[in-house]
Structure formats: C-alpha cells, structure tokens
Amino acid sequence: MKMAPILLPLLLAGSLAEACEGLVVERQWIREAPPGARVMAGYAELRNEASSLLVINGVESPGYFEHTMIHETQLVEGRARMAPRETLEIAQAATLSLAPGGLHLMLMQPVSDLALGAEIPLTLQCGESRTEVRFLVRASAP
Amino acid sequence: MAATDRTALALFVVIALLAFALGIHFARKNAPESSAPVEGMLWPSPPRLEAFMLDGADGKPLTEEVLAGKWTLLFFGFTHCPDVCPTTLSTLREVTSLLKDSPEFAKNGQVLFVSVDPARDAPADLAQYVGHFDRSFRAATAPPARLAALTSQLGILHTRVKLGSGEDYTVDHTASVLLIGPGLERLAVFSAPHAAPDLAARIRQIIEFLQD
Ligand SMILES: [Cu+2]
C-alpha cells in the first residue's frame, strides 16, 4: 500500500484505487424494491470538498447488481423518461442531490433480493479513482 | 359522370366540410374551460370513460364496472421503473391516508395501477407489487390492443426505449395521476411531479364541489 496511514480509514477494505478526491457522500439510500421488481434506484447527496471540479463517470456494484448506470428522470410534457447520464459534474464546494424524480443511480438486476436494512456497497468512479460507499436499503428517504 | 352529378357531388363535399368545421367550432366552444374550480379538473364537461377490459391482478377481468360508484385514482407505470413509479405509488398511499377524514373518499375511494409493460409485467405479479405500497391498491394490465383501448382514450403515452447495449429497456410514459368519478367521469388530470398534501387537497376540493 502506497497510501499514507492517515488516508487508510477513508478507504474501504478491498479497494486498491485512490478515493475520488474531495467526494463526500451523505444521506445515501436505495429504495426497497417491491416484490418482483428487478430494478432499483439509489439516491444520495454528493458534495465536492476538493478545490477543483469533481467528475463522476460511473457506478458499479459487482456482486449485487448485474448492470448499473447513472440516470436522470426528466419530465417532458407530462411524460417521465429515464435518460442515461455519462457524467455527474460537481463544482468546487457544491452539493449535487440525487433524489426521487431526478438524478439517480439505476441499479438493475439485483443478484439476490435485497431486504430492508441491507447495506449495499456501491463504487462511484471518478476517472481512475474509486470511492466505495455503503447504501442502506430503505422504504423512504432518510 | 354527368355534369349535374358532379355539381351535386361538389355541393355535397362543400356542405360536409362546412358541417365539419362548424362541428369543430362548437366542440371547441363547449370544451372544458379554465373555469374549473380546481387546477387539473376537467370541468364543466368532463369526458366519460369508455368501455375497456384489462386483466386484473386478482385474476379477474378489470373493466370500467370496477370503477363505477368509486372515486378512482389511476396511475400508469411498470415494475422495471425504479424512480417515478415507486415514488408515485408511495405518494398515492400518503394521499389515501390524508383523505381518511373525507367520509366519501374513505368509503368509495380506490387506487388503480395499470402497467404499460405487459411484456414483463404479468397480471398476477402486479398484485404483490402494488400490495407492497398498500394492500387495498388494485392493479391490472393487458396485451397491447386491449391496453390501448384504455390508454388512447385517456391520452396516456408510453414508448419503449432501449437501455444500454443489452436487452434492457425502459418505458417513457405519462406520469399523470387521473381522477375518475363514480359516474365514470374523467374528472381530473394531475400532472407530475406529485406532492401528497397538494394532491389530497385538490381531490378533497373536487369531491366537495361535486357533492354540494
Ligand atoms: Cu433510471
């Protein structure tokens, strides 16, 4: 490990890449899936505490979901559509909200049923860096 | 064709066109105006829901008769919809709970979820899906032709859109909540996004307005 010991607590076991610089994730949760639903959505507040633009360009959760994407729900003339987003850009000191009806992490084909209260590791990708965060499965927003 | 026949035909066409234009004119004149007492309400001439037949989640046909005598909140979606659909169904559970103090809605109110993705949503699976939000919620779907008999008259649009490179797809769909009255009147169309207190207040106002 080339990381300074002080950084170690910021890293979660098993992740070798550096964490996304400045990324702070709060109020993260995954909506509990109704029985039979094969797609879930993850929400969070993403804050950028670094002194430069933070660009998130992917999310993954191998072992929990077969397919994951960044999505945005858009309402156009009364119609809801989910559009994939390549990146999420967060300005210095800004907070980006992933919330119902808007930006979300699209979590498709869960490998098993994820019960209420389960903690699911999701990895946010920022270029070569990776931050792993545990998302709690909840019935509604924290 | 004789010349007189042609003149007669031309005259007939002109009269038909005039009648058609007049018809449009009066239809517009009599169309629901902005005089509706509640935002989203189709008033004073709410269109009537026409016959349809879906496959209910309870295994029985679900026709307009299931809506007769009820105040029905109608929402269209699909189970592979992780954001707008669960959010709206949670909102509708909150709405029904807020309306518990409306004796009329408490007695005769119901929520109906219609899947616009019959290829992936079997009617029987929809029971558990909506039951997750509220045991009293009804659900139904139908193969495209029978589904269209309901969606097209209500102006509900739904289009499949591919997601990524695999077989996955999502369905763009109208996210409005509709209120159907006890006489099958299409009383209101509430546009997304929905907030429970606002929806409940508007439904309460419409019921009170009609019961006065
Ligand atoms: Cu999505």
Side-chain angles (χ1 to χ4, degrees):
Chain A
M1 275 285 215
K2 61 184 183 200
M3 302 290 157
I6 192 140
L7 283 178
L8 279 174
L10 296 175
L11 298 172
L12 286 146
S15 89
L16 292 169
E18 275 183 67
C20 298
E21 194 192 343
L23 174 62
V24 177
V25 181
E26 286 173 334
R27 295 163 61 84
Q28 69 273 21
W29 64 293
I30 293 173
R31 189 191 290 283
E32 179 195 16
R38 302 289 300 144
V39 188
M40 300 169 90
Y43 305 104
E45 308 253 295
L46 308 178
R47 198 165 71 244
N48 177 9
E49 292 192 341
S51 53
S52 55
L53 181 74
L54 174 65
V55 180
I56 295 174
N57 62 342
V59 57
E60 60 178 26
S61 184
Y64 291 88
F65 297 97
E66 283 182 15
H67 190 189
T68 46
M69 299 169 96
I70 302 172
H71 263 193
E72 180 169 24
T73 295
Q74 300 162 338
L75 274 175
V76 182
E77 288 170 5
R79 248 182 305 170
R81 91 162 9 159
M82 292 195 296
R85 282 273 299 250
E86 293 293 314
T87 58
L88 296 174
E89 302 197 354
I90 312 168
Q92 176 188 348
T95 299
L96 183 68
S97 205
L98 277 56
L103 290 167
H104 57 272
L105 304 173
M106 183 80 163
L107 311 170
M108 306 162 78
Q109 293 146 32
V111 171
S112 60
D113 283 348
L114 304 177
L116 205 61
E119 285 189 30
I120 313 301
L122 298 186
T123 302
L124 296 170
Q125 305 163 340
C126 328
E128 296 300 300
S129 306
R130 305 261 179 286
T131 294
E132 188 183 275
V133 184
R134 294 189 159 265
F135 280 60
L136 188 64
V137 177
R138 301 175 51 102
S140 60
Chain B
M1 205 187 262
T4 48
D5 282 353
R6 250 180 265 156
T7 314
L9 180 66
L11 199 64
F12 174 79
V13 168
V14 167
I15 291 172
L17 283 173
L18 266 176
F20 182 65
L22 272 174
I24 288 180
H25 175 75
F26 282 108
R28 281 220 184 119
K29 241 186 130 180
N30 295 330
E33 285 166 32
S34 53
S35 59
V38 179
E39 198 199 329
M41 191 171 177
L42 307 177
W43 199 255
S45 328
R48 201 167 179 280
L49 188 67
E50 281 161 32
F52 64 90
M53 191 180 81
L54 305 179
D55 303 322
D58 58 3
K60 298 180 201 147
L62 192 148
T63 69
E64 69 284 357
E65 282 168 30
V66 170
L67 279 62
K70 302 275 188 184
W71 303 88
T72 304
L73 293 173
L74 184 53
F75 176 64
F76 294 80
F78 58 109
T79 67
H80 285 63
C81 161
D83 186 41
V84 163
C85 303
T87 303
T88 307
L89 287 166
S90 298
T91 301
L92 290 176
R93 175 184 49 197
E94 212 181 319
V95 167
T96 55
S97 135
L98 286 168
L99 288 172
K100 284 222 169 85
D101 61 355
S102 157
E104 180 56 29
F105 192 89
K107 190 162 156 239
N108 294 317
Q110 66 179 0
V111 171
L112 171 60
F113 175 75
V114 174
S115 168
V116 291
D117 188 12
R120 291 187 298 197
D121 293 339
D125 298 338
L126 291 173
Q128 274 201 317
Y129 181 83
V130 290
H132 172 78
F133 298 94
D134 191 305
R135 290 241 190 111
S136 74
F137 285 6
R138 288 177 175 275
T141 189
R146 280 196 282 122
L147 184 61
L150 178 63
T151 54
S152 60
Q153 59 169 309
L154 297 176
I156 301 296
L157 302 172
H158 52 100
T159 320
R160 266 195 206 194
V161 178
K162 248 173 94 68
L163 269 187
S165 52
E167 304 253 296
D168 285 324
Y169 63 88
T170 178
V171 185
D172 288 3
H173 65 287
T174 306
S176 305
V177 169
L178 282 63
L179 173 65
I180 311 290
L184 301 183
E185 317 91 333
R186 291 160 48 190
L187 290 175
V189 177
F190 305 114
S191 306
H194 309 290
D198 166 65
L199 261 188
R202 286 199 271 166
I203 293 159
R204 190 190 308 271
Q205 281 172 49
I206 291 173
I207 293 177
E208 281 168 9
F209 173 80
L210 293 172
Q211 294 208 312
D212 260 353

